Amino acid sequence: MAVIETAPGKAMAEHTDVEEPSATRSAHEGILRRQSARESAARTYARALPIVPVRARGLTIEGADGRRYLDCLSGAGTLALGHNHPVVLEAIRKVLDSGAPLHVLDLATPVKDAFITELFRTLPPGLADHARVQFCGPAGTDAVEAAFKLVRAATGRNGMLAFAGAYHGMTSGALEASGDAFDVRVARLPYPQDYRCPFGVGGPHGAELAARWTESVLDDPKSGVPLPAGMILEPVQGEGGVLPAPDAWMRRMRRITADRSIPLIADEVQTGVGRTGAFWAVEHSGITPDVMVLSKAIGGSLPLAVVVYREELDVWEPGAHAGTFRGNQLAMAAGTATMAYVRENGLTERAATLGARMLEQLRGLSREFSLIGDVRGRGLMIGVEIVEEGEGGGQRSGVAGPRGANGPDETGRSGGSRGSDEDCGAAGLLGSVGLSSADDAGPVVMPGSIASPRPASPELAVAVQRECLRRGLIVELGGRHASVVRLLPPLTITDEQATAVLDRLADAVAAVSRGHGRRAG
């Protein structure tokens, strides 16, 4: 029986298949049965993960049936330090034992002051020096709503720019800016990606076309898109399929919005607090957004959401965006402890190093199994796209081609190159791929289009997720077709645990491939 380190000086035995006593099995099945009978049809994770967690520590969850699992869902990215980290528990107990009020609306408290101080210590310097913070209802989607209201009030404009594949929350305004909106009142722009590039070229060339499309929409008086109140983007699209934005493209978006006085909103709900190998994902590109939307990990596992923005945008009237639960003291204390621990213990650098290693190992797996179409990610935000098996048109991870000859770049995207021109202009992006600036008179000649990837396979992805769970590994599915296996382990994951995660995922992929009757050599 293997032993997993869950915290310094602590260990938890790792089990996969165990013989459960009949009473334990009965209690486990009874809880699941009652959940199915009583809870709404809107439940999601419970459908794919029929487990009943009763204890947890670090990466490990123990179910009511006695089984133990490695949790690479981490509360959809909320648990930066994993389950029940000692510093988080200590911070919560300190507030509980102090006699401090737990509910304070938006009144000032020592706990809130400490949280804001630690938050501002981590912000990009260009924002921290001139920022205001707005506490919202305890969910990221409410922070997105607040950001939209803020930029609309500040600019006097109404429309918003968002990107295909985006996910910003489940309230009406956030859904309008997300990829599955029904009633579209937000202009959609192409988000650059290699594997399924909307322009069929991928790499820096595809990113350049996406940027030019954005400029055209904004500058063409007949585009049907008036000057918007703001642009919202994710530095890495999570639910959209773990798609890291190229750094040069991020700088280009910053230049485009700044030149047109359009506030740029960075949705860092899932990417923040070290997840991508930088404390905030925008730091990879060096940009400073006008607004940052933050939630998940900043609450240290408890509900908390805030908007941070340039002080020039602070046009709120009192009560313009309010909520009863803006003063969650336990979440602020847990969040302060989490941010400080990540900062003081170099967990961002750890996420970058370990994430790169895991990506490389997964790319090796993709060369072995044809049902893996692509491997991508940044830091400990990793995606494995599952496709229909067959010959040709499959995985392209790390394969040189028309996108460039450099293999994967530091974002985890294959074949790209990081722009080095810090002026964010067209010359920086085009120069990195040897093309002319957008200001040049001559046309840009694009290379040949890349081969179309095989169709996504949500059915095989579900099978991989199911086989992972059988082996004691919890993973999430995402992407446009719910065909991307997502890994979001805590930043505290050890090398040994990472190896166990990849071994179990590899076993699951092999089992599905065998069951499907085809294997790529």
Side-chain angles (χ1 to χ4, degrees), residues 260-290:
R260 294 160 180 80
S261 299
I262 301 170
L264 178 63
I265 305 168
D267 184 339
E268 292 257 16
V269 168
Q270 191 168 98
T271 54
V273 193
R275 170 62 54 188
T276 67
F279 206 97
W280 306 107
V282 293
E283 295 177 51
H284 291 293
S285 61
I287 71 165
T288 301
D290 301 298

Side-chain angles (χ1 to χ4, degrees), residues 33-340:
R33 186 168 56 252
R34 287 188 292 276
Q35 180 187 46
S36 179
R38 295 169 176 171
E39 289 191 28
S40 79
R43 65 189 186 280
T44 54
Y45 298 107
R47 296 180 183 275
L49 303 171
I51 63 176
V52 181
V54 293
R55 280 176 291 277
R57 183 70 171 240
L59 181 71
T60 308
I61 288 178
E62 182 179 336
D65 58 359
R67 297 190 67 206
R68 290 189 173 96
Y69 304 85
L70 302 182
D71 180 14
C72 277
L73 176 57
S74 298
T78 298
L79 305 173
L81 304 183
H83 294 275
N84 294 329
H85 193 280
V87 301
V88 173
L89 297 182
E90 180 184 358
I92 292 172
R93 289 193 187 102
K94 185 176 180 180
V95 174
L96 292 174
D97 293 343
S98 72
L102 300 182
H103 187 281
V104 293
L105 297 171
D106 65 352
L107 301 178
T109 70
V111 173
K112 178 194 276 190
D113 184 63
F115 173 82
I116 295 173
T117 299
E118 181 61 38
L119 174 62
F120 273 53
R121 183 179 287 129
T122 71
L123 291 174
L127 184 59
D129 296 340
H130 307 283
R132 294 288 184 270
V133 59
Q134 164 79 19
F135 287 88
C136 305
T141 189
D142 189 59
V144 170
E145 298 283 349
F148 287 178
K149 288 168 64 175
L150 176 68
V151 297
R152 283 168 171 152
T155 64
R157 304 190 290 263
N158 189 55
M160 295 296 302
L161 296 176
F163 291 86
Y167 177 76
H168 298 293
M170 294 302 294
T171 50
S172 60
L175 278 174
E176 287 174 2
S178 299
D180 56 354
F182 293 103
D183 181 17
V184 177
R185 292 187 291 175
V186 176
R188 288 296 190 286
L189 300 168
Y191 192 93
Q193 55 173 308
D194 284 351
Y195 190 59
R196 299 189 186 277
C197 175
F199 304 105
V201 294
H205 308 300
E208 167 61 13
L209 290 174
R212 288 194 175 199
W213 182 271
T214 299
E215 288 181 320
S216 176
V217 164
L218 289 170
D219 296 341
D220 182 354
K222 299 297 183 181
S223 69
V225 179
L227 192 67
M231 171 191 284
I232 185 168
L233 59 76
E234 300 159 278
V236 181
Q237 284 195 347
E239 304 306 317
V242 192
L243 300 171
D247 292 332
W249 179 84
M250 288 284 291
R251 292 190 284 269
R252 184 75 169 271
M253 291 304 102
R254 173 69 283 189
R255 175 68 174 271
I256 287 171
T257 52
D259 286 351
R260 294 160 180 80
S261 299
I262 301 170
L264 178 63
I265 305 168
D267 184 339
E268 292 257 16
V269 168
Q270 191 168 98
T271 54
V273 193
R275 170 62 54 188
T276 67
F279 206 97
W280 306 107
V282 293
E283 295 177 51
H284 291 293
S285 61
I287 71 165
T288 301
D290 301 298
V291 183
M292 291 176 65
V293 178
L294 315 175
S295 188
K296 290 191 185 290
I298 63 161
S301 76
L302 299 178
L304 187 64
V306 301
V307 182
V308 181
Y309 53 89
R310 288 192 297 107
E311 60 187 358
E312 301 95 298
L313 297 173
D314 195 25
V315 297
W316 290 121
E317 294 292 334
H321 194 84
T324 303
F325 294 101
R326 288 173 287 166
N328 189 333
Q329 298 292 279
L330 294 182
M332 290 177 186
T336 301
T338 296
M339 288 187 290

Side-chain angles (χ1 to χ4, degrees), residues 406-468:
N406 298 323
D409 69 5
E410 74 277 14
T411 70
R413 300 169 73 249
S414 305
S417 60
R418 180 174 181 174
S420 58
D421 194 318
E422 295 298 326
D423 71 356
C424 314
L429 183 58
L430 290 173
S432 68
V433 294
L435 299 179
S436 301
S437 166
D439 296 328
D440 291 346
V444 174
V445 179
M446 305 305 295
S449 61
I450 56 179
S452 296
R454 285 194 300 277
S457 181
E459 295 82 7
L460 289 179
V462 167
V464 171
Q465 183 186 44
R466 187 182 303 119
E467 291 294 334
C468 283

